Amino acid sequence: MSNRIKISNRYSLLLAFISWFITFSFFLRIIFTILQYDEVSFNVFSIIGTFLTGLFYDIGTISLIIIPSVLYYFVFPNRWIGSWIDKILLWFFTSLTIFILVFTFFAEITFWDEFKTRFNFIAVDYLIYTHEVVANIQQSYPLPFLVSGVLLITGIIIFTFYKLNVFKETFTTTVNLKDRTIVLGTTVITAALFSIFITNNQAEWSSNRYNAEISKSGIYSFFAAFRNNQMAYNEFYTSVKNEEAFQIVRNKLQDKNSKYQSNKQSIHRTITDTTKSQPIKKNVVFILVESLSASFMKEFGNEQNITPFLDSLAQKSIFFDNLYATGTRTVRGMEAMTLCIPPTPGQSIVKRPENQNLYTISNVFKSKGYNSNFFYGGDGYFDNMNAYFGGNGFTIYDRGRGSVLSDKIKTTRNNISDDEVTFENAWGICDADIYSKMTKVADEHYKSKKPFFNFVMTTSNHRPYTYPDNAIDIPSGKDREGAVKYTDYALKNMFEKVKSKPWFKNTVFIIIADHCASSAGKDEIDVANYHIPAFIVNLPEYQNQKIKKQCSQIDIFPTFFSLLHWNYESNFFGKNILASNFEERALVGTYRKLVLMKNDKAMILSDQKRQNFYQWNKADNSLNAIPMDKNFLNETISWYQTADYLFTHKLLK
C-alpha cells in the first residue's frame, strides 16, 4: 500500500494542476451565473445539471491539455527524476501553462461581457486578426494591470503548490512502467472520447440558453468552433428533396414582375417593372452602421436621447420599423445586403473561399452604368472584406496596413492616407472621417459625370467606444451609449455637409444596421436582438412613410430597385416589401441556428437535424413551444437548403 502511495507521488504536480483547473472552472461558472442572475434558471435540477455538465466537459478539456505532460512523465527515465533538467522543464511549463490558462479565464469573462456566450467562432476570428484584436484589448482594458494580475495569480498558485510539497513529491518519487501506462492510457482514451464522440453541442441540454452556455468549457468550445466554422447543410440539418425545396422557394418568390429561367434548381429570374414609369437614375450612398439596434432609438421606446438625428430621420424618410437582421455579425449584414440571401450555416459567405464573381447588387448597379465603391475605415483584410468586395465588382477604399490582395482579385485598392484621418482606434478611423473620404470620392465621380454607388461600413459603434473628444456630451470611451450617440452625431454632420454638394439632390441615402449590439438571450434565438432600423432618405418621388410589414435585410435592395422602376436580372432571395402580395417574414440566424419568422411564429432549425417551433411573445421577448407545423417546417428548410445549395454548387453567379 505504501509503495502505491510513493508511486502516485510522481504525479502530485499533475494532480494538483488538474484540481486547480477544475476548481477555477467551477468558480468561473459561478461568476457567469452571477452575471446573468436575472436570466439563468435557478431551478435546483437546472443548477445541478449546469455544474455537473460543466464538470464533465472540464474533465474532457483538461485531458486534452495534459497530454504533453503525461507523455513527458511516460518517457522520462527514473534515473533523471529530480535532476536539474526535470525541475527546469516542469517548473517552467507548469508556470507557463497556468499563466496562459489564467489569462484565458480572464479573456472568457471579457468575451462573456460582450457576447454573453462561451468562446465561439468569433473568438476564432479574433485569433486570426491579431492587429485589431490586440489594439482593441489595449484600448478597452488596462492591459498592464491585467497582465500583472495574471502574473500575481499564477505566482500564488505556484507558491501554493510549493507549500503543499507537490514539487518535492514529484521530484523524489519514481514510477514503474505499469503505472505510467495506466496514466497515459486513461488520459489518451478520455481525450480521444472527447475528440471523436463528444461534441460541444451536446452541452446544450437546457432550454435556457444561459444555463447551456455556462455548462460548456470555453477552451473546448473554442476548438470546437475552430473545427466547425463551415457546416454542410445536408450533413447537419433536416432536408427535403432539392426539387421540392426549389419549388417552394420559387413559388414564394414568384410574382407578376418576375420571369424564371427554365432551370428548376435555380432562382435566377428577370424582374420587369410593370408600372410603365420612367426608370429613376440616382447616385446611391449606402451606409451599413455598426451594431445599431432598434432599441437605441426613441422611436422604439428608448428614453436616453442618444439618437436624436435618426429619430428625426424616421419622420422624413421611407422608414422600415419592423425589419430584422439576418445575423449577429457585420459579415452577415454585408452578405444579406449584397447577395440578398438568407444566412447559410457556418461562416458568412463573405469569409468563405471561392466567394468571388458572385451575382450581387453590384452587378445590378454595373448594368446601369454605375461605379461601385466600398469604404471601410480599418484594414479591409479584416473579416476578408477586401477579397469579397474587390472580387465582386467594388473599388476598395480602406486604411491599409500592409495586407496584400490576391492577384486573383481584379480591383483597385485606394489607401486612406494619414492626412485624411483626425481620429483612429483599433477598428479604424472614426465615422466622421470615413464619411469625409466618401464625400471626397463622390465629388470626383460627380465631376466625371458617372453615377456612383458608395457602400460605407462604419466602425465607431464598437468597443472600445472611442471617438473624437468633445464631439458629443458623453466622454469618449465611456460606454456603448456614447458610441451610439457619436454614431448619430456623425451621420447628422455628414448630411449637413453634403447638402451643399451639387450631387446631393440626385443622391439617395440608404441607412441600415449590420446587426444589433447584442444577440444573446435565454432562448434559442433572442428575437428582439435582431430588430434593426432602416431608412431610405432623399427620394422625393415618394412620400415619407413608415413601413410596418415584417421584413428582412435581404428585401431592402429589391424594394429599392422597384422604387427606381428598374428592370434587372435577379438571383436574390429578397422581394419588394411594398408589393401588395409581399408575404411578411424574416430570416435570421446564428452560425448554427437557422430561423424563419412569420409574424409571431418562429421555426428554428438546429444542427444535429433538430427543429423547434415557437410562438414569440413580443411583450416579454419569450419563445413558447407550440405543436409542429409541417408546411412551415418545409418552407423553413427550403429557404436555407436552397441558399446553401446555390453557393456550394457555385450557382450564385
Side-chain angles (χ1 to χ4, degrees), residues 107-126:
E108 279 209 69
I109 294 171
T110 60
F111 192 84
W112 185 278
D113 179 56
E114 183 162 0
F115 298 105
K116 302 296 185 293
T117 183
R118 292 287 200 166
F119 288 149
N120 57 19
F121 72 103
I122 300 175
V124 175
D125 285 351
Y126 279 9

Side-chain angles (χ1 to χ4, degrees), residues 378-532:
D379 189 331
Y381 166 76
F382 182 75
D383 269 351
N384 204 47
M385 286 188 257
N386 280 354
Y388 175 75
F389 282 96
N392 286 292
F394 289 81
T395 299
I396 306 296
Y397 295 86
D398 76 327
R399 188 84 166 122
R401 298 191 182 95
S403 60
V404 179
L405 274 173
S406 166
D407 292 337
K408 296 178 181 179
I409 309 298
K410 305 302 180 184
T411 190
T412 302
R413 185 182 184 188
N414 303 277
N415 189 54
I416 300 172
S417 61
D418 290 345
D419 60 8
E420 296 175 294
V421 178
T422 64
F423 182 89
E424 189 169 16
N425 66 16
W427 298 105
I429 62 179
C430 65
D431 288 0
D433 287 344
I434 196 67
Y435 294 146
S436 293
K437 180 64 178 179
M438 182 277 297
T439 302
K440 183 187 294 187
V441 174
D443 288 341
E444 295 168 0
H445 284 301
Y446 175 75
K447 289 177 182 177
S448 68
K449 297 183 179 180
K450 192 162 187 179
F452 56 80
F453 168 52
N454 289 344
F455 186 126
V456 182
M457 181 67 231
T458 75
T459 60
S460 290
N461 190 23
H462 195 297
R463 191 183 293 274
Y465 311 135
T466 54
Y467 38 84
D469 290 333
N470 303 315
I472 59 171
D473 57 1
I474 301 176
S476 173
K478 182 182 178 184
D479 52 28
R480 168 75 74 178
E481 285 67 30
V484 173
K485 193 163 188 176
Y486 172 74
T487 297
D488 184 81
Y489 161 85
L491 278 167
K492 178 183 179 182
N493 189 52
M494 183 269 292
F495 271 97
E496 289 176 346
K497 289 182 177 179
V498 300
K499 278 182 179 178
S500 61
K501 297 292 183 179
W503 46 263
F504 175 76
K505 286 186 177 180
N506 195 45
T507 301
V508 184
F509 296 80
I510 303 174
I511 304 168
I512 190 172
D514 56 355
H515 56 83
C516 284
S518 173
S519 61
K522 66 179 182 179
D523 292 317
E524 282 194 82
I525 290 286
D526 192 297
V527 175
N529 277 327
Y530 287 82
H531 183 207
I532 58 172

